[in-house]
């Protein structure tokens, strides 16, 4: 099995989480970050779970392995978890550039069993349920922010034959989700929430930066490492694409604002998937994602 992303070590007091709205807009908030202790690490150990294939296209050594884990599904709801997981994968697989590589991707479903059905704080705060991954809405008081125990989710995902990306679905119909360094969360029973996972895979698989910003902010640093943002107002970082029509609308250029800052940094297009989840990737995002996915397959 290929190694999964390393679990975080000693934490800082806060970390960023993205909050998504049904209209596609995204904001970033600071939330409390728990310090990882030896007790927490022990608590993150996963019980053995059945792993099934939504699709198996070949050996993991030559395929991209996507793993879907569930939370809030009881032993009698295995069929519902599979239905929700299949729907999320179908949405991902229909989106460029995933559609191009669909036949070279393995999709593993880890049948994580919870003692109770549903997730915490659904539909309102104060409703608690005993679930395997501790999923909850109203994370940090934000209704649609769907948090979980990242270490537990990683431990369950590691039971799959290979792990190149993780999507965690919760047994809920409320719109919501969240992005973590190693995975994305989404409401399993909500038809719109799959777009959240597609955006977050842009981060965890492609290493793409967010292209939205907070008004009134200025980039304090130098040239960012991500391919889809730059401090160069000419956009020389993506020079071969300048002036081209782009799938998300308009043409590739250098549009001020991105990576959370309004000034001093530029993005390739006016609105792409990394700025609004209801849009497709721009050319730079597409190329970057294709390189990341294709590097895992043969």
């Amino acid at each position: 099995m290929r190694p999964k992303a390393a679990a975080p070590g000693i934490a800082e007091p806060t970390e960023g989480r993205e909050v998504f709205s049904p209209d596609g807009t995204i904001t970033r908030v600071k939330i409390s970050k728990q310090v990882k202790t030896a007790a927490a690490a022990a608590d993150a150990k996963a019980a053995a779970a059945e792993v099934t294939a939504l699709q198996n296209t070949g050996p993991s050594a030559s395929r991209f392995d996507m793993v879907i884990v569930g939370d809030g599904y009881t032993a009698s709801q295995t069929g519902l978890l599979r239905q929700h997981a299949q729907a999320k994968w179908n949405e991902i697989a229909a989106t460029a550039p995933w559609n191009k590589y669909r036949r070279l991707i393995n999709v593993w479903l880890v049948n994580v069993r919870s003692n109770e059905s549903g997730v915490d704080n659904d539909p309102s705060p104060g409703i608690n349920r005993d679930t395997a991954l501790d999923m909850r809405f109203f994370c940090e008081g934000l209704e649609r922010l769907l948090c979980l125990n990242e270490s537990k989710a990683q431990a369950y995902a590691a039971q799959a034959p290979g792990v190149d990306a993780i999507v965690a679905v919760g047994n809920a119909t409320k719109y919501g989700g969240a992005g973590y360094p190693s995975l994305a969360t989404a409401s399993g029973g909500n038809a719109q929430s799959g777009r959240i996972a597609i955006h977050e895979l842009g981060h965890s698989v492609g290493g793409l930066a967010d292209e939205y910003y907070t008004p009134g902010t200025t980039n304090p640093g130098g040239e960012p490492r991500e391919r889809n943002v730059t401090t160069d107002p000419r956009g020389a970082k993506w020079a071969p694409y300048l002036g081209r029509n782009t799938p998300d609308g308009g043409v590739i250029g250098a549009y001020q604002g991105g990576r959370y800052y309004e000034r001093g940094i530029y993005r390739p297009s006016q609105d792409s998937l990394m700025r609004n989840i209801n849009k497709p990737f721009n050319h730079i995002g597409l190329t970057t994602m294709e390189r990341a996915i294709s590097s895992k397959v043969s």
Side-chain angles (χ1 to χ4, degrees):
M1 186 183 81
R2 289 198 288 274
K4 66 183 186 301
I10 299 300
E12 296 175 357
T14 62
E15 61 183 1
R17 286 285 180 273
E18 292 185 287
V19 181
F20 302 86
S21 298
D23 66 0
T25 57
I26 315 167
T27 55
R28 188 172 176 85
V29 298
K30 293 289 186 180
I31 70 168
S32 301
K33 187 175 181 181
Q34 295 180 341
V35 175
K36 185 175 175 64
T37 64
D43 186 51
K45 291 181 179 178
E50 178 190 21
V51 179
T52 60
L54 295 184
Q55 70 174 42
N56 186 348
T57 64
S60 289
S62 59
R63 293 293 185 267
F64 187 100
D65 289 292
M66 182 171 293
V67 182
I68 301 177
V69 298
D71 194 40
Y73 299 88
T74 63
S76 65
Q77 293 179 312
T78 301
L80 180 62
L81 170 57
R82 187 178 184 91
Q83 176 187 329
H84 287 174
Q86 185 70 59
K88 292 295 173 281
W89 164 240
N90 289 346
E91 188 171 2
I92 294 168
T95 304
W98 295 100
N99 56 356
K100 180 177 179 179
Y101 295 93
R102 182 171 188 161
R103 296 182 181 180
L104 296 171
I105 297 173
N106 293 331
V107 184
W108 307 105
L109 173 61
V110 182
N111 291 303
V112 182
R113 294 184 179 182
S114 293
N115 291 328
E116 294 185 316
S117 176
V119 300
D120 289 351
N121 302 328
D122 183 20
S124 57
I127 297 175
N128 298 311
R129 296 182 172 97
D130 182 6
T131 67
L133 305 182
D134 305 324
M135 267 198 182
R136 60 199 182 277
F137 283 105
F138 287 93
C139 186
E140 296 291 315
L142 300 167
E143 180 176 4
R144 301 186 187 280
L145 189 57
L146 182 60
C147 293
L148 50 50
N149 184 313
E150 184 181 11
S151 295
K152 287 182 179 180
Q154 288 175 329
Y156 275 105
Q159 298 182 40
V163 184
D164 292 312
I166 305 170
V167 176
V169 296
N171 188 7
T173 58
K174 180 195 288 285
Y175 177 83
Y180 286 78
S182 66
L183 58 88
T185 73
S187 297
N190 185 280
Q192 289 181 278
S193 66
R195 297 297 302 179
I196 296 174
I198 295 168
H199 170 93
E200 291 299 338
L201 290 169
H203 294 307
S204 61
V205 174
L208 293 170
D210 285 308
E211 295 179 11
Y212 59 88
Y213 58 83
T214 300
T217 55
T218 301
N219 176 43
E223 180 63 22
R225 66 184 183 280
E226 296 93 343
R227 295 176 180 270
N228 63 321
V229 285
T230 184
T231 56
D232 182 0
R234 301 167 300 170
K237 196 171 190 175
W238 45 80
Y241 298 91
L242 290 173
R244 279 198 201 181
N245 291 331
T246 182
D248 55 313
V251 298
I252 296 294
Y255 300 83
Q256 186 157 225
R259 208 169 182 259
Y260 321 126
Y261 298 105
E262 181 180 16
R263 296 182 293 272
I265 197 163
Y266 301 84
R267 61 188 188 277
S269 63
Q270 185 61 46
D271 282 301
S272 83
L273 178 59
M274 302 313 292
R275 177 173 165 84
N276 184 309
I277 61 172
N278 292 333
K279 295 282 188 175
F281 283 113
N282 56 36
H283 276 308
I284 315 308
L286 278 173
T287 301
T288 302
M289 290 295 290
E290 286 201 26
R291 288 173 179 170
I293 299 168
S294 64
S295 70
K296 303 287 186 180
V297 304
S298 62

